[in-house]
Amino acid sequence: MALTTLKSLNAEIKQLEAQKKLVEKRDGEVPKALAVLQKYAKVLSPAQRRQVAKLIGETIDAKPARATKAAKGPIKGRKLGKVAPKYRLPSGETWAGRGLAPKAFTAWAKSAVGKAWAQANPGARFPPADGAVKKAPAKAMKKAGKAAKKITRKAVKKPAKNVTKKA
């Protein structure tokens, strides 16, 4: 064996021993670094969490982490909870009274049965779902009463006062 080969092998051994010491030192620091990352994981963005998980060799759920309440913006088209029906047609169709009236309700209101029901229940929009007809609000009743009075005043004309008396 040549002296140069022996020297190069010794140099390589020293270099590998130095690397071994660095690896051992790093391996001792890895648990500490993991503890710090876990402690501050809430601060990291989902992308940063995925990067850390990839470096560590762990898998993260495919679902992105939920944003905090302060960071949430307005949610467009969110679904509201179910609402109890407010109106029920004789056919059994129901409506909660929110939004545009369903076609079945508008058609029923235009039908002879619907018009008759509306006359029998002034101020009520559609038959209530619970079966009891609610009385109309006082304002609606006043308006309906005033309109009826105007119609009767126009129908009954007072006799003229300009009648000349002949004696």
Side-chain angles (χ1 to χ4, degrees):
M1 207 189 235
L3 189 60
T4 55
T5 345
L6 186 60
K7 286 183 181 179
S8 64
L9 285 176
N10 282 335
E12 230 181 292
I13 289 172
K14 286 181 182 179
Q15 189 179 15
L16 288 173
E17 285 176 350
Q19 284 181 352
K20 182 182 174 189
K21 286 180 183 178
L22 287 174
V23 168
E24 286 173 354
K25 183 179 179 184
R26 188 185 68 195
D27 286 348
E29 293 175 356
V30 167
K32 293 175 187 175
L34 288 175
V36 169
L37 285 173
Q38 287 174 346
K39 183 177 179 182
Y40 295 105
K42 293 175 185 175
V43 181
L44 299 176
S45 70
Q48 289 171 329
R49 286 188 206 134
R50 285 191 297 270
Q51 283 179 338
V52 169
K54 190 176 180 182
L55 290 172
I56 295 170
E58 291 181 6
T59 56
I60 270 192
D61 295 339
K63 296 178 188 176
R66 296 181 83 184
T68 60
K69 287 185 179 182
K72 277 188 180 178
I75 300 172
K76 293 182 181 180
R78 68 178 181 180
K79 302 278 184 187
L80 298 177
K82 289 216 172 200
V83 180
K86 187 174 181 181
Y87 304 110
R88 184 183 314 276
L89 293 180
S91 64
E93 179 119 15
T94 60
W95 177 43
R98 292 185 174 186
L100 200 60
K103 290 179 183 178
F105 279 79
T106 53
W108 180 84
K110 291 177 184 177
S111 70
V113 176
K115 287 178 182 177
W117 186 89
Q119 283 182 343
N121 301 291
R125 196 167 169 192
F126 295 110
D130 59 4
V133 177
K134 297 176 185 172
K135 290 187 178 180
K139 279 188 175 181
M141 292 303 284
K142 275 187 178 181
K143 285 183 181 179
K146 286 181 182 179
K149 284 181 184 177
K150 283 184 183 179
I151 293 170
T152 54
R153 281 186 207 152
K154 288 181 182 178
V156 179
K157 289 188 176 181
K158 295 181 182 177
K161 293 184 180 181
N162 297 7
V163 178
T164 55
K165 292 183 184 180
K166 291 184 181 179

